[in-house]
Amino acid sequence: MRFFKNLFYKPLSTQLTVTSSSGFHLRPVARFTTLAKSFSCDVIASFQAKSIDAKKVNTLLSLSLEKGDTLTLITQGKDAQRALTSLQTLFTTLMYNDVEVTSITKENAHYIGETIEGDIIAKGVAIAPASLYRTETIEHENTLTFKDAVDKTMKSLEETYDAQKESSNADIYLAQQSLLSALADKCDTLEALEALIAEESEKLQDTKLSTKITDYQDILQQVKTALGLEVKVIFPEQDFILLSDDLLPSEIALLSDTQVQGVILKETSINSHTAILLRASGIPSLIADTSGVPLNADIILDSFSGVVVLSPSSEDIQTAKDLQNKHKKDKAQSTAKRFEPAQTTQGKIIKVYANVADVRSAKLAKEEGAEGIGLLRSEFLFTEQRPSLEVQTKAYSDIFSFFDDVTVRTLDVGGDKALPYIKLPKEANPFLGIRGVRLFQSHPDILSEQLHAIFWAASKKPIKIMFPMISTVEEFVYAKQFALDVASKHQLSIDNILFGMMIEVPSTLFALAEFDAVVDFYSVGTNDLTQYLFAIERTHPTLSIDSRSPILFKALSHIVNAVTKPVSICGELAADTKAIPELVNLGFTTLSVTPKSIAQTKETIRHV
Ligand code: PEP
Ligand code: MG
């Protein structure tokens, strides 16, 4: 049937390269398959002679895609073109935003009592008796069928996802929902679900995806609870450090109503959903073998240095208490400090701005201490369908409301970024084709509407508009005139708007004096500048460039010396702690980085 359905449609394809160092793991895969399922066409992913259905979480995960792997995405059917571009855009967004913890550096500690070592999940110090994880099963009267219980669990996961949508951890619930939906399709009874989960978990043992077993257990427990088989966790009434092999992600929320001081888990990993939620809750926690830990007497969990002190001396207790107090003070200070300006040892103030993509990241940027938005990547704002003028205006004004200084970049579509409602020709070298400011010529209506919305949203607020991929002065003049025409057509005053450009195409380096006469500001996009300087695609699976190459620094030095208008850096290099001292010494005074890198960037500047 499927064969006949698609016979009339040609397959479309594109290549997607995994650029995140954590690979294409469960949470991004869940987001990807959720979108894939919303299209009627077939969606196939092909990698190393294996072709699978990319609408299913488990099959897509089975490709085990790591950083550098390139998969071919094939869509075939009525809405294949829309599906291809939407999925391509989402994939790029997921890769841009996927920042996982690789390891947490340990500090030195000196204790007299015997210690065991572990890996840090979340930093902190706890002093309390250890208590083993205990549960009791309570059977309630059940009125639901198995299918109803699955539906109820799906609904509850959806509600948790909706409630946490603002947080990046929300995708954990979407991932569990996708797993449950895939499993429940194959089962009619609880026993069948249990057997299937046991079988799937067996396959995952000792693989890179083994932490998924806990998500399976969590789902199973939630379905059981819906069927009246509640497993209740028993917590002590006094302060305690919880010891367990592992915890279900859903159990982390329960801890907030207890006297828990710390958690030691034996069998999780630093990026499991349980670990992510523990970190978010701020409970000091460690991965360590808990078998030799004595119960019911005070132990020390020092997850700064990654140790558990099994029989602490009174000096040890004092050391831990001092550390606890220092931590409390440091935390309060660094939390407050992230809102303070970043000043070098020589007293020079460097502004630290944020690169954002939507209202959620703008809000996060504010919370993390950003002093403004140095780059709003507007192409990630509306990735599914073309927004109306009103919807666009609302999104821009929401984002503008967070800061007094905001730079919004006009759509930078093309290259590795696509939007389903912007048709671009298939090109052999899309990074050298219709991209960025070139859309002013190919899609004037879309750009005109975007500028109209930005002007409207800005109202009287000073806003900076930045054009991407400028390569000649004429291109800048054309884009600016285009914007002025939009304003005059709608009789909008734009005295409050400044116009600037990205420096990311090498040709601009040789015309900076001419640009200086027409632009109000610049921002250096080192991601693209590097790819074009070295002629190596930024997403290339095997070729890589030294991101701190002396040649790039020569280019940056030339820029900062040649221009008289304000210039910032918004490429990844701006958050590279090893590059920051040199960037500051070259004379850059504004760095724009991802929201999560703001505190660290400020702290690095303070040591220059
Ligand atoms: C850059 O090229 O460095 C940049 C900031 O823009 P993008 O990564 O969005 O192309
Ligand atoms: Mg760029």
Side-chain angles (χ1 to χ4, degrees):
M1 182 58 195
R2 172 168 281 185
F3 176 75
F4 289 114
K5 187 180 91 181
N6 288 332
L7 197 58
F8 305 107
Y9 299 101
K10 271 217 227 122
L12 305 174
S13 71
T14 189
Q15 310 266 47
L16 302 177
T17 300
V18 179
T19 52
S20 159
S21 50
S22 341
F24 197 23
H25 59 94
L26 180 57
R27 272 167 291 131
V29 162
R31 292 272 303 274
F32 189 89
T33 51
T34 303
L35 179 61
K37 275 188 275 194
S38 69
F39 297 103
S40 65
C41 63
D42 289 344
V43 183
I44 307 292
S46 170
F47 177 64
Q48 290 180 343
K50 204 170 161 193
S51 285
I52 55 97
D53 181 354
K55 289 187 178 180
K56 294 197 176 130
V57 168
N58 283 330
T59 53
L60 191 50
L61 275 177
S62 72
L63 295 180
S64 293
L65 294 160
E66 306 262 14
K67 181 176 181 180
D69 289 343
T70 298
L71 70 118
T72 306
L73 184 72
I74 304 153
T75 56
Q76 188 172 18
K78 201 166 158 216
D79 48 5
Q81 185 58 58
R82 221 159 49 79
L84 197 75
T85 34
S86 300
L87 289 166
Q88 188 182 1
T89 309
L90 177 68
F91 185 84
T92 316
T93 318
L94 292 170
M95 292 296 123
Y96 265 86
N97 294 336
D98 193 33
V99 200
E100 298 247 305
V101 174
T102 40
S103 77
I104 299 175
T105 324
K106 293 178 186 175
E107 286 164 28
N108 290 329
H110 303 286
Y111 292 103
I112 300 163
E114 188 192 344
T115 56
I116 53 166
E117 277 206 51
D119 291 327
I120 302 168
I121 298 176
K123 288 191 172 187
V125 180
I127 310 164
S131 170
L132 283 179
Y133 171 87
R134 268 187 320 127
T135 58
E136 69 179 12
T137 307
I138 307 172
E139 266 193 57
H140 301 278
E141 197 189 334
N142 172 42
T143 50
L144 298 185
T145 64
F146 173 71
K147 285 282 173 214
D148 290 342
V150 168
D151 289 346
K152 188 174 169 193
T153 310
M154 290 288 281
K155 196 148 177 277
S156 139
L157 286 168
E158 195 175 320
E159 280 165 8
T160 319
Y161 171 74
D162 280 342
Q164 307 218 359
K165 232 177 181 158
E166 300 265 299
S167 141
S168 54
N169 295 336
D171 290 346
I172 292 175
Y173 307 100
L174 185 70
Q176 290 198 345
Q177 226 190 341
S178 307
L179 287 179
L180 176 56
S181 149
L183 293 168
D185 275 354
K186 298 186 197 149
C187 305
D188 288 323
T189 62
L190 179 62
E191 292 68 31
L193 181 67
E194 270 181 300
L196 183 59
I197 284 185
E199 191 187 317
E200 293 290 327
S201 303
E202 181 66 39
K203 283 190 227 154
L204 291 171
Q205 288 293 354
D206 302 322
T207 72
K208 198 160 68 45
L209 296 172
S210 62
T211 54
K212 224 174 86 183
I213 297 174
T214 320
D215 286 299
Y216 276 145
Q217 294 306 326
D218 208 355
I219 293 164
L220 181 61
Q221 187 46 55
Q222 291 177 54
V223 174
K224 281 184 172 176
T225 305
L227 287 168
L229 299 165
E230 186 194 354
V231 174
K232 192 165 183 264
V233 191
I234 318 287
F235 296 111
E237 309 247 306
Q238 296 79 26
D239 287 359
F240 65 98
I241 293 174
L242 184 64
L243 309 185
S244 182
D245 286 349
D246 201 352
L247 287 174
L248 301 178
S250 63
E251 287 169 339
I252 306 301
L254 304 177
L255 293 173
S256 62
D257 292 330
T258 73
Q259 298 299 319
V260 74
Q261 302 299 305
V263 172
I264 310 173
L265 301 177
K266 206 167 159 184
E267 287 166 3
T268 191
S269 82
I270 189 164
N271 276 316
S272 69
H273 291 164
T274 302
I276 291 172
L277 293 174
L278 270 172
R279 250 190 313 277
S281 69
I283 302 170
S285 27
L286 204 66
I287 307 170
D289 183 353
T290 51
S291 40
V293 178
L295 301 174
N296 308 321
D298 273 353
I299 60 163
I300 298 171
L301 161 61
D302 174 353
S303 59
F304 284 111
S305 44
V307 297
V308 182
V309 190
L310 303 180
S311 45
S313 65
S314 52
E315 287 95 325
D316 288 341
I317 298 277
Q318 194 51 48
T319 307
K321 280 190 178 156
D322 291 348
L323 208 57
Q324 242 174 359
N325 290 336
K326 184 176 173 305
H327 174 49
K328 240 189 238 158
K329 224 167 97 193
D330 283 358
K331 206 169 160 200
Q333 216 171 43
S334 78
T335 310
K337 241 178 145 185
R338 70 185 202 273
F339 294 109
E340 283 175 23
Q343 191 171 20
T344 66
T345 52
Q346 305 298 309
K348 193 166 159 194
I349 300 273
I350 307 294
K351 287 191 259 179
V352 181
Y353 280 29
N355 294 347
V356 305
D358 49 25
V359 182
R360 176 159 124 179
S361 50
K363 183 166 174 263
L364 181 66
K366 187 83 191 172
E367 289 161 5
E368 294 290 330
E371 294 158 74
I373 292 176
L375 169 65
L376 166 58
R377 286 187 165 103
S378 65
E379 58 278 8
F380 293 125
L381 255 177
F382 303 103
T383 54
E384 282 169 30
Q385 57 193 27
R386 185 171 170 173
S388 67
L389 178 66
E390 290 70 25
V391 168
Q392 280 198 69
T393 308
K394 163 99 178 64
Y396 289 122
S397 65
D398 285 351
I399 293 172
F400 296 169
S401 71
F402 289 107
F403 296 98
D404 291 335
D405 194 352
V406 177
T407 299
V408 42
R409 183 173 71 183
T410 53
L411 289 170
D412 183 18
V413 173
D416 61 339
K417 294 182 269 191
L419 283 177
Y421 49 91
I422 297 187
K423 300 259 171 303
L424 293 176
K426 204 164 171 46
E427 295 173 306
N429 293 305
F431 279 113
L432 300 179
I434 298 180
R435 190 192 155 180
V437 75
R438 296 167 190 169
L439 266 83
F440 276 79
Q441 306 268 3
S442 63
H443 294 78
D445 53 331
I446 291 198
L447 265 304
S448 157
E449 196 165 69
Q450 181 185 29
L451 287 160
H452 187 181
I454 296 169
F455 293 151
W456 231 15
S459 183
K460 293 197 169 49
K461 198 173 170 151
I463 291 293
K464 294 177 184 151
I465 293 183
M466 177 157 72
F467 303 123
M469 291 291 294
I470 293 282
S471 58
T472 64
V473 176
E474 292 70 30
E475 236 167 9
F476 178 84
V477 170
Y478 180 88
K480 181 171 173 185
Q481 189 54 50
F482 183 101
L484 298 182
D485 292 346
V486 171
S488 85
K489 181 173 162 204
H490 300 287
Q491 296 174 343
L492 295 165
S493 154
I494 51 163
D495 298 343
N496 51 325
I497 308 285
L498 294 177
F499 291 95
M501 60 180 268
M502 297 279 297
I503 299 184
E504 53 186 348
V505 180
S507 62
T508 58
L509 267 61
F510 304 97
L512 291 171
E514 291 83 346
F515 278 116
D516 232 38
V518 290
V519 308
D520 297 321
F521 67 93
Y522 306 92
S523 191
V524 187
T526 48
N527 308 337
D528 276 313
L529 185 59
T530 314
Q531 90 160 335
Y532 294 124
L533 272 177
F534 293 91
I536 292 183
E537 238 177 66
R538 59 198 269 180
T539 56
H540 199 283
T542 53
L543 299 172
S544 61
I545 316 162
D546 171 10
S547 63
R548 291 190 292 272
S549 153
I551 295 170
L552 175 64
F553 277 94
K554 265 191 200 167
L556 295 174
S557 166
H558 169 66
I559 294 168
V560 83
N561 289 317
V563 302
T564 61
K565 301 289 170 67
V567 56
S568 63
I569 301 194
C570 62
E572 299 296 306
L573 193 71
D576 180 336
T577 50
K578 292 213 176 82
I580 290 171
E582 200 167 342
L583 297 178
V584 170
N585 289 331
L586 281 179
F588 286 95
T589 52
T590 306
L591 303 178
S592 192
V593 303
T594 54
K596 282 281 175 206
S597 308
I598 287 162
Q600 192 184 40
T601 304
K602 284 191 172 182
E603 211 42 50
T604 311
I605 293 167
R606 291 185 185 117
H607 290 92
V608 176

